[in-house]
Amino acid sequence: MIPFSPQTQTAIEFAADLFRSARRAVVLTGAGLSTPSGIPDFRSEGTGLWSRDEPLMVASLSTFRTAPEKFFQWFRPLASQIFNAQPNPAHLAMAEMEKAGRVHSVITQNIDMLHQKAGSKNVIEMHGTMRTLTCGQCYHQVDAIPYIGVFVECGEMPRCPKCGSVMKPDVILFGEQLPQSAWYQAQRDARECDLMLVAGSSLEVLPVAGLPMQALDRGAHLIIVNNSPTYINVRADVAILEDVADIIPAIAKRVFHG
Ligand SMILES: [Zn+2]
């Protein structure tokens, strides 16, 4: 690995110091955390998946309701990528920090289950999850893995074992509300933490983008690691414009070994 610039090295050390003195640290992650694992940014334009179809149309609740086959056609390559993806060093470092009591919870905008695959336990999924499917008719919920496997193989839409209706992955589509309990929990964690690390999120999607502000308002420290600046970088104690898969493990290493 290329050594960090002196400026980045100093920022890493400062970030590690903040973690060491934190009583309750919370992590907020977005699509940029999973791009090193090969998952395209679900919501940003210009990626292969988005450019073929109009994402706001296809990945919306109204399309799902009126033309689920259109949704599933778009969803198929994404589902395959997500189920085959592996956590990268940033996910693993966060899980290790949680295990060591250095991270209280991970609030994520991602639906790819990579934090859980890495071993994180306290994960708040703001945009839902690929882990389960729910029937639109009778609300019966099933484990997604057997259904998505068949779907990715032969393209057949997953159907409810109880009533035969099409089942929807429990991810939050455009036009759909955030899961209420996740949102309450995220707000509580943002208010109660004394350190927030934002990693791989450009903080462009509300209301999640407002969480660091809530943390700052309560006097928490803020670290931002993202390869492009966010609206709140000016208020961060540390802001590092680099790849999360390089920086987060470097911070964790410093937290553990000085
Ligand atoms: Zn059903």
Side-chain angles (χ1 to χ4, degrees), residues 8-237:
T8 301
Q9 190 57 42
T10 307
I12 288 168
E13 285 163 23
F14 187 33
D17 288 345
L18 289 175
F19 265 102
R20 275 203 232 129
S21 51
R23 185 181 41 78
R24 196 181 181 92
V26 165
V27 178
L28 171 60
T29 68
L33 202 78
S34 294
T35 43
S37 291
I39 296 178
D41 188 340
F42 182 54
R43 282 167 189 257
S44 73
E45 292 174 42
T47 67
L49 285 167
W50 281 146
S51 49
R52 286 183 320 183
D53 296 295
E54 179 54 59
L56 285 165
M57 288 300 295
V58 180
S60 70
L61 190 60
S62 58
T63 297
F64 189 86
R65 284 186 177 146
T66 53
E69 66 286 349
K70 234 173 148 180
F71 167 82
F72 277 108
Q73 201 183 3
W74 167 81
F75 185 62
R76 197 171 167 188
L78 182 67
S80 161
Q81 267 171 318
I82 287 176
F83 276 90
N84 291 317
Q86 294 304 318
N88 65 60
H91 293 106
L92 296 169
M94 286 172 182
E96 225 181 295
M97 295 228 279
E98 181 184 331
K99 203 173 163 196
R102 297 288 185 182
V103 165
H104 169 71
S105 63
V106 178
I107 303 166
T108 187
Q109 296 170 285
N110 301 336
I111 56 164
D112 51 37
M113 306 168 292
L114 289 179
H115 284 298
Q116 291 92 335
K117 277 190 190 170
S120 286
K121 302 282 180 233
N122 194 6
V123 182
I124 306 168
E125 294 171 308
M126 298 310 302
H127 293 155
T129 177
M130 293 274 289
R131 214 174 20 253
T132 50
L133 303 169
T134 299
C135 172
Q137 279 302 319
C138 73
Y139 301 105
H140 180 57
Q141 194 181 48
V142 298
D143 182 354
I145 290 173
Y147 290 87
I148 295 294
V150 172
F151 162 66
V152 167
E153 279 293 304
C154 32
E156 231 170 87
M157 290 193 288
R159 299 227 170 235
C160 176
K162 291 220 159 146
C163 74
S165 300
V166 174
M167 290 191 293
K168 179 185 155 296
D170 289 333
V171 296
I172 305 304
L173 302 179
F174 291 100
E176 206 172 356
Q177 290 208 329
L178 294 188
Q180 213 173 38
S181 65
W183 176 235
Y184 286 143
Q185 216 182 328
Q187 281 183 297
R188 196 195 55 210
D189 281 4
R191 291 194 200 113
E192 290 178 355
C193 73
D194 60 352
L195 172 63
M196 181 176 277
L197 162 65
V198 176
S201 175
S202 303
L203 299 175
E204 280 165 354
V205 184
L206 284 168
V208 175
L211 290 171
M213 198 56 102
Q214 294 193 23
L216 283 174
D217 286 347
R218 301 287 175 114
H221 290 289
L222 180 63
I223 303 167
I224 299 180
V225 182
N226 193 49
N227 51 20
S228 64
T230 77
Y231 79 96
I232 209 167
N233 275 39
V234 286
R235 292 196 55 192
D237 296 87

